[in-house]
């Protein structure tokens, strides 16, 4: 005779009577993750952030327990008691800080995500390992998993996932393809910086005597498991590139067909990779070379071509796949386009994406000094790819004004401009004037701050450090700091750094005051934490920062999380890309 048995999931720490939260399992509930439920009678549950404020639904925080079940503290341990048993900011009594990571679900239940002491910080981002494990564990091919932060190379902390499979037939057979499928699954729900760089399949996770995962017993990521079908180098050039790939990415071994960006390459690592290639071969590759040849095998073919030039072209093809019209995105005040790689990736593999970088970054060519001159140069560049409209153009910071100036030239030539996407900048004529002439020391400090913000590093240089130096001494001082970070080859890089500074200076002094204008469709995406410090006072009350006077119809205004530079980086760039896609679709972008 079959008996109906009620299965109940109970949660609770010893400090709060071991049964504080309960979830009755239901046979018709097919959710992938079993929650711990709701608090029992006379018990309260709060999920709070680091500032002791309640987190919204779906956002992780530390679970706190309140009510009659909370104990008095630890015997003869007053300091630990004061740390873990805190006054209840929402009512009478005290709360017990469980140290557990959790989040509220839409239906009012609580989902347990792991221990708060498994929170780590990598490249400036605070990461909850339990969140990654929850998403990874929701894949039907994964029976159980654990994610850890490893530092197998000093100063290079990376995420590694250890998995036990449940249904191997649900994943591709090739190791590289299997990793790509898991990476895609994670990227659909998490920002890129939370995606592990290594996936290790085990028969079982090592356990401690009390049945918990023994994280210390997890083996170093065995890349043979990760890519056992990868192809070994066939030439000395491929072997050298693979060695550089492994050193920069901290993954070994790497095959000649492994893609730099798919293995976790980002802005900082891209510069280190190019610096090491220059150090080894004495050849300075343009950024476009890595976008076009992102595997050791592809780049080896480029290096073996004697006709490859090391000058920087203004037009940088970032993503060439897809049959849709290309999206052209103009550089900001720094002149570089490295930070557009994440935006291009999140816009989708079916959307061709070209970036336009400033003239003069090579340190050999004088920079363009007016927005009008930049616009004319870039229009000529994009028409080599797309001779006729409609054109879809955008730009971050100064790039927004340059994109608008380009639209004016195209419209006057009889071409259709479908949309100008302006990312966090004000309309022409809205720039607040500098109170004094350009100060090279102040400009150098501003340039360093831009480098730090976009690369997530600290060069520890202030105005006082540089004020007593001449310009050439300042450049040398900054060069040395960048070499220490591995961003410039040892003993070289002065020419490129001088070019970067001259471009930065020219861009920040440029202003755009168009005469008669042709209104064009405009989408303005502003950062939620951006300031209007650079905007003229009379425009600060205008949400469109003056763009309504230049737009055809209403400005498509969107607010995106992050500040001026942060909105271009993870995790906010994913939302920025989503909003850009929505703006493009509203103007008839095919796809």
């Amino acid at each position: 005779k079959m008996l109906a048995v009620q299965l109940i999931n109970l949660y609770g720490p010893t400090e709060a009577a071991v049964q504080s939260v309960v979830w009755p399992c239901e046979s018709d509930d097919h959710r992938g993750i079993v929650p711990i439920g709701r608090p029992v009678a006379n018990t309260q549950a709060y999920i709070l952030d680091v500032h002791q404020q309640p987190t919204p639904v779906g956002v992780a925080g530390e679970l706190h327990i309140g009510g009659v079940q909370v104990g008095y503290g630890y015997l003869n341990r007053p300091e630990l008691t004061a740390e873990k048993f805190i006054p209840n900011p929402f009512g009478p009594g005290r709360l017990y800080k469980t140290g557990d990571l959790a989040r509220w679900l839409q239906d009012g239940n609580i989902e347990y995500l792991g221990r708060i002491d498994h929170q780590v910080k990598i490249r400036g981002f605070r990461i909850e390992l339990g969140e990654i494990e929850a998403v990874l564990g929701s894949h039907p091919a994964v029976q159980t998993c654990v994610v850890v932060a490893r530092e197998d190379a000093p100063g290079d902390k990376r995420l590694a996932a250890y998995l036990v499979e449940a249904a191997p037939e649900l994943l591709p057979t090739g190791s590289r393809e299997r990793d790509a499928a898991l990476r895609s699954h994670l990227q659909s729900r998490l920002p890129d910086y939370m995606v592990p760089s290594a996936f290790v399949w085990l028969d079982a996770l090592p356990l401690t005597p009390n049945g918990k995962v023994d994280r210390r017993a997890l083996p170093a990521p065995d890349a043979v498991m990760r890519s056992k079908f990868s192809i070994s180098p066939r030439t000395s050039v491929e072997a050298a590139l693979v060695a550089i790939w492994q050193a920069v990415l901290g993954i070994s071994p790497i095959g000649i067909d492994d893609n730099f960006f798919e293995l976790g390459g980002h802005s900082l690592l891209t510069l280190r990779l190019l610096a090491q290639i220059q150090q080894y071969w004495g050849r300075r590759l343009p950024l476009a070379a890595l976008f076009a040849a992102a595997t050791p095998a592809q780049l080896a073919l480029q290096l073996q071509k004697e006709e490859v030039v090391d000058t920087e072209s203004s037009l940088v093809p970032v993503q060439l796949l897809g049959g849709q019209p290309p999206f052209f995105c103009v550089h900001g005040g720094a002149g570089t386009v490295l930070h557009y790689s994440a935006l291009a990736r999140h816009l989708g593999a079916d959307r061709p994406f070209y970036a336009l970088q400033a003239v003069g970054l090579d340190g050999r060519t004088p920079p363009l000094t007016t927005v009008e001159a930049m616009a004319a140069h870039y229009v000529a560049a994009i028409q080599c790819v797309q001779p006729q409209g409609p054109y879809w153009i955008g730009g971050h910071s100064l790039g927004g004004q340059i994109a608008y100036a380009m639209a004016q030239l195209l419209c006057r030539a009889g071409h259709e401009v479908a949309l100008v996407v302006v990312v966090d900048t004000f309309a022409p004529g809205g720039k607040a004037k500098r109170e004094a002439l350009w100060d090279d020391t102040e400009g150098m400090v501003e340039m360093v701050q831009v480098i730090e913000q976009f690369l997530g590093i600290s060069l520890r240089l202030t105005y006082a450090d540089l004020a007593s130096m001449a310009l050439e001494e300042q450049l040398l001082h900054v060069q040395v700091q960048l070499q220490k970070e591995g961003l410039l080859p040892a003993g070289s890089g002065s020419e490129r750094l001088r070019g970067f500074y001259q471009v930065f200076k020219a861009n920040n002094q440029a202003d755009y005051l168009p005469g008669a204008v042709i209104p064009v469709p405009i989408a303005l995406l502003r950062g939620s934490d951006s300031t209007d410090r650079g905007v003229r006072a009379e425009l600060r009350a205008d949400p469109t920062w003056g763009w309504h006077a230049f737009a055809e119809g209403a400005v498509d205004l969107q607010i995106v999380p992050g500040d001026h530079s942060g909105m271009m980086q993870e995790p906010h760039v994913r939302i920025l890309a989503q909003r850009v896609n929505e703006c493009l679709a509203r103007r008839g972008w095919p796809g």
Side-chain angles (χ1 to χ4, degrees), residues 240-251:
L241 285 172
V242 164
I244 293 174
W245 247 249
Q246 292 175 165
V248 171
L249 290 167
I251 301 173

Side-chain angles (χ1 to χ4, degrees), residues 265-448:
H266 50 78
S267 299
L268 181 62
L269 296 182
T270 299
L271 291 179
R272 286 178 176 163
L273 182 77
L274 293 175
Q276 288 208 23
I277 290 173
Q278 183 177 346
Q279 180 93 24
Y280 190 89
W281 277 282
R283 298 180 62 176
R284 194 173 69 178
L285 290 182
L287 176 62
L290 187 57
F291 285 129
T295 71
Q298 294 169 340
L299 197 57
L301 292 176
Q302 294 298 315
L303 286 169
Q304 289 165 340
K305 294 179 181 177
E306 294 183 0
E307 67 270 19
V308 173
V309 296
D310 62 358
T311 55
E312 296 280 3
S313 169
S314 287
L315 191 64
V316 179
V318 180
Q319 207 293 106
L320 295 179
L321 300 179
Q324 301 177 9
F327 181 58
F328 300 99
C329 209
V330 188
H331 64 81
T336 67
V337 296
L338 188 61
H339 60 297
Y340 283 144
S341 60
L343 175 62
R345 187 168 62 254
H346 289 307
L347 284 175
D350 59 339
R351 296 191 182 279
F353 187 105
Y354 289 84
L356 289 153
Q357 65 183 355
V359 173
L361 288 173
D362 56 6
R364 304 167 186 172
T365 311
L368 302 175
T369 57
T370 68
V371 169
E372 291 85 349
M374 297 176 201
H377 183 77
Y378 301 153
V379 164
I382 70 174
Q383 288 192 314
C384 293
V385 174
Q386 184 186 349
Q388 302 293 328
Y391 290 97
W392 310 79
I393 313 171
H396 173 246
S397 192
L398 174 67
Q401 289 198 10
I402 301 173
Y404 184 80
M406 293 171 63
Q408 294 298 296
L409 293 177
L410 289 165
C411 287
R412 291 192 181 100
H415 296 287
E416 178 188 354
V417 176
L419 184 66
V420 176
V421 178
V422 178
V423 182
D424 213 55
T425 196
F426 37 83
K431 184 176 184 178
K433 298 294 183 182
R434 284 182 177 265
E435 296 180 0
L437 295 176
W438 180 268
D439 180 324
D440 273 321
T441 301
E442 181 180 328
M444 191 69 66
V445 172
E446 289 181 9
M447 182 190 76
V448 168

Side-chain angles (χ1 to χ4, degrees), residues 207-225:
L207 302 177
T208 63
N210 62 3
K212 295 184 178 180
V213 175
D214 188 353
R215 293 172 180 261
R216 295 183 180 181
L218 291 168
D222 183 358
V224 175
M225 295 180 182

Side-chain angles (χ1 to χ4, degrees), residues 75-95:
L75 182 63
N76 299 326
R77 302 190 67 182
E79 293 183 359
L80 184 59
T81 296
E83 176 189 345
K84 302 293 288 184
F85 294 83
I86 64 173
N88 185 352
F90 311 106
R94 294 183 299 170
L95 298 181

